[in-house]
Amino acid sequence: MNTNQFGKKNTKIMLTFILILMIALTTLMAGITNLQAQTDATIKSYVYLAINPNPVGVDQPVTVDTWVSPLSTRTDEYFNGLTVTITDPDGATETKGPFTTNVNGGYAFAYTPTKLGNYTFKSHYPGEKLVPGQYASSESQTITLQVQQDPIPYFQDNPLPVDYWTRPINGQNRLWSSISGGWLMAAYNLTYTTAAGVSVGALNPYSQAPGAPHIMWTKEITTGGLVGGEQGTSSYYNGPSYSSLFSPPIVMNGKLYYSLTSGGTVCVDQRTGKELWRNDNLTQLTCGQEYNAQKYSYTTAGVQAYLWTRSWQVYDPFDGTLKYNYINYPSTLTRPVFSDDGSLLNYVIGRNWLALWNSSLAGLGTNREWSRGIQWNVTIPNLTVPESLFAPLNISSSPAPTILGAYGNVLLGRVSVGGSAHIVYDMGYDLTTGEQLWYNNYTKGILALDGTFPTYWHAIGDGVLAQFSLVSMRWNGYDINTGKLLWVSDPQDYPWGDYTSYYPTIAYGKLYSLSYDGCVHAFDIKTGKEVWKFFSGNSGLETTTGTYPFFYGPIIADGIIYASNGFETPQQPLTRGARTFALNATTGDELWNMNGMLYLRAIADGYLLGVNVYDSQIYCIGKGPSKTTVNAPQVGVTTSTPITISGTITDISAGSEQNTAAANYPNGLPCVSDASEGAWMSHIYGQQPLPNNVTGVPITINVLDANGNYRTVGTTTSQTSGTFALNWTPDISGAYTVYAVFEGSESYYPSNAVTYFYASEAPATPTPQPTQPPSMADLYFIPGIIGVIIVVIVIGVVLLLAIRKRP
């Protein structure tokens, strides 16, 4: 081809392309012009309505879905004023709404018909001015719901797990949501109490609780344990009372996140302790977030998980990568509140103002402007410390208020001085509007030192703010909504009841308080009366208090209270004999205890987490997996001789593979009874002596015989070696399947194993021959002949001897 022809072809192609481009641009400009023109035009709207299921049984709920189309061109604009009119079979009407739709233009709600017959539904949109233009009003079609006597069958939910389970949980297992709550910040949420780096008091209402002190794993978090040598009996101490050791921690989707004192954040598997990732740049971890973004996103259909830091950085909890951060924030992020959809709400308080910041309003992008998330900023009364207190309290200016906590729709604030030692005011604000509801002035009590002023220690819950008085050793209960005094509790035990734990907790209608008197006290939250008290025992010469003080906890879940002996600052050498207890929350009865001085920090998915002061290791306590094996003779088995069915039952939690456990029990770590578990775990993980009264677990032996009969042939108890054996004689011939079954316990999930053998028929016993009765000869003649012969022989011997004696 000659270059001239090639050039002409290229020119034609270029001209064609330019022509197409011009047409496209003309069309695009026309579209833009048309869109601009529509801004001031009326846009026809369409309303849709769906009712499901239909038909439905009386008193069964249906889902009412209604939505508007077309959507606005702005992703942050929603339709407003949507209503649904419902007419029942008798002609009575009711209107639901008005509703504001989600970002997809829809709204859904549940409705329960209570009458037989036909209901009708119609949705109405009033229209409104939005960015694209004026939306016209419109109505949906009328939908008829048939309500019948017979109920519509529900989808059968899968039951709660009885076997060992892990994360992620299959999304179809909806019932499991009741036992699979996470732990998103220190002390679970803003209702409960904590201090940086120390134990917490809190309730997790969505977790099972360890019914036995079985340890899943331990993991060093810092240098710990006895020093020895020139340091004698002292132990290493890295200040967990006042540092951020094992902080916050956070548990989401079966993963445990915590910050290191040296900086950075570690993510480990909650059930195994295995490190999954580490990010040295992720510092000052504050909270997790589980955010249901469906209302605000076209593309999100579920919950998104995030990790937040004090410096407003947001990370992906799966791999620790930075997602985005906020810029120009006024203060660090502390403990937030979460809305129903999981939006992170941060209340910021000043001397005379209160602001609410909402993460769902703060926009998109990698670097997000913090101020865009401000939902409101209101003026509040300026509560300053009176001049009369400046000299007595040794302060030079009035401090700013701080956030104390939140419960229901009330945010609690406080003005205090002297490191929170002197509380001047407590205040209550409306969480929704910021309006001040009440305030209490404790000035008079502080000056009089009469015990009417509260101290730092407080608890929030069940509509009550409980404040402790050091002077009276009593709790004062205030109404959260009004600030009015409701009751004064019975006193704690003199004299050490004066010093109580920082973390009292309200749950199940009771206030649970730990103190140096060695007791866990339970007070009725409506009256302040003490309903039970648990004493951990006398300490003799081991402590200066004569008791084993309670200081760590309580952490509460599933009707169980966990509390540990300990001190604000542990004494050196460390007090021996401290224990961690599990108590029945209703009665105060002891369920179990184990050796250990545990800073209790969290409970989630049924696993209790804390740091043991004795060795500075993280302890994960909860029900673990087990493994059963079984053997039976393979040859020489008959129906006439007993056989021995034997096997093992071992703990296969991750801790069983740690160095000490694996070295001391190379054939597997034996499972033991719940009653023995505390002493056994202290031996395995705490270097305590091997207890001499350890008992094993029951093993049931079942067989399936040659006739197809499945039956139990016996039950045996395992030994401290983890082995078991049962002697049994097969009763019919043929092939047998043997099942060794461990039904599980509070310490271990169930397991089983199978083996086989063949039993032959026993060899036949030879038939004995019939015996003849003895004859007369046998009875008389033969014995007589024998007697004569004997006489002859005797005479012969005598004669012979006489002859030999002659000279």
Side-chain angles (χ1 to χ4, degrees), residues 632-704:
Q634 301 298 301
V635 295
V637 179
T638 70
T639 56
S640 64
T641 56
I643 62 171
T644 298
I645 299 171
S646 62
T648 61
I649 175 70
T650 52
D651 178 354
I652 57 170
S653 303
S656 67
E657 298 180 2
Q658 292 177 201
N659 291 342
T660 303
N664 290 330
Y665 296 91
N667 296 321
L669 184 62
C671 291
V672 302
S673 66
D674 291 338
S676 303
E677 196 69 42
W680 179 251
M681 290 289 102
S682 298
H683 165 64
I684 299 298
Y685 296 99
Q687 300 173 331
Q688 299 303 293
L690 174 65
N692 56 17
N693 58 348
V694 173
T695 56
V697 297
I699 305 294
T700 301
I701 305 298
N702 303 314
V703 298
L704 178 66

Side-chain angles (χ1 to χ4, degrees), residues 728-790:
W728 176 68
T729 303
D731 46 10
I732 65 171
S733 61
Y736 282 83
T737 304
V738 180
Y739 301 88
V741 179
F742 170 51
E743 297 286 354
S745 64
E746 293 290 350
S747 301
Y748 311 98
Y749 281 97
S751 60
N752 59 78
V754 180
T755 191
Y756 310 89
F757 71 87
Y758 187 90
S760 303
E761 285 285 356
T765 303
T767 303
Q769 296 297 319
T771 57
Q772 296 294 327
S775 63
M776 293 296 291
D778 294 332
L779 289 174
Y780 303 109
F781 180 72
I782 293 175
I785 294 298
I786 293 173
V788 170
I789 293 172
I790 293 173

Side-chain angles (χ1 to χ4, degrees), residues 47-54 56 60-68 82-87 94-97 99-102 105-113 119-124 140-147:
V47 181
Y48 300 86
L49 181 65
I51 315 293
N52 282 294
N54 191 2
V56 71
Q60 280 190 300
V62 296
T63 300
V64 181
D65 279 292
T66 183
W67 63 96
V68 180
L82 202 61
T83 59
V84 177
T85 300
I86 304 170
T87 305
E94 61 177 314
T95 300
K96 300 291 187 182
F99 304 121
T100 297
T101 69
N102 59 29
Y107 188 86
F109 62 92
Y111 180 79
T112 302
Y119 285 71
T120 61
F121 294 73
K122 176 172 280 191
S123 184
H124 174 74
S140 70
Q141 296 181 18
T142 299
I143 304 297
T144 299
L145 171 67
Q146 180 184 346
V147 181

